[in-house]
Amino acid sequence: MKTLTALFTAAALTLTAGLAQADVRIDQVPQLVKDGKIKSLESMNAEALKLHPGATITDTDIDNHFNGYEYEVELKTADGKEFDVDFDATTGKVLSDKQDT
C-alpha cells in the first residue's frame, strides 16, 4: 500500500509541475497583448537586443507560471556566446540575464 501511495503522489507532483510551467501557444499571444496581460513579442526581443547589442535572437518562448507570464529570449553573439534573458511578460522587467555555459 505504501508503494501505491508513493506512486500516486509522484504522478500527481509530476502533473502539477507540468501545469505550473506551460508554454503559451503562439496563437494566444496577440489576444494576451490586446488584453494588456503581456507585452508584445517584438518589444521583448528588442529589450533583449539592447542588453546584448549585435547579438542574434535564436528563440523566444512565453510560459505561464503560477506567478504570471514570462518570456525567455535566447541570443547568440557574433563570437559564439549564448545568453538566456528572462522577462516578466507583463511588466517587461528583466528577471535574469545569464550566459549559457
Side-chain angles (χ1 to χ4, degrees):
M1 188 58 129
K2 288 182 183 180
T3 303
L4 182 60
T5 302
L7 288 173
F8 178 74
T9 302
L13 289 172
T14 301
L15 178 61
T16 304
L19 293 174
Q21 184 175 341
D23 283 340
V24 175
R25 291 189 337 255
I26 194 71
D27 64 319
Q28 294 174 315
V29 171
Q31 187 63 47
L32 291 168
V33 171
K34 184 178 176 183
D35 293 344
K37 293 183 179 179
I38 64 171
K39 296 201 174 280
S40 71
L41 175 84
E42 294 81 10
S43 67
M44 293 295 90
N45 283 344
E47 290 300 314
L49 289 171
K50 286 180 188 176
L51 295 170
H52 300 281
T56 302
I57 294 173
T58 58
D59 191 27
T60 303
D61 292 318
I62 184 166
D63 294 318
N64 187 1
H65 297 274
F66 283 122
N67 59 344
Y69 295 99
E70 289 183 15
Y71 276 109
E72 180 182 342
V73 182
E74 297 177 9
L75 306 103
K76 189 170 190 173
T77 62
D79 61 358
K81 294 178 184 173
E82 295 181 1
F83 291 87
D84 291 330
V85 183
D86 294 336
F87 295 95
D88 179 306
T90 302
T91 66
K93 177 183 174 189
V94 176
L95 301 173
S96 71
D97 181 6
K98 59 187 175 202
Q99 183 177 349
D100 288 345
T101 54

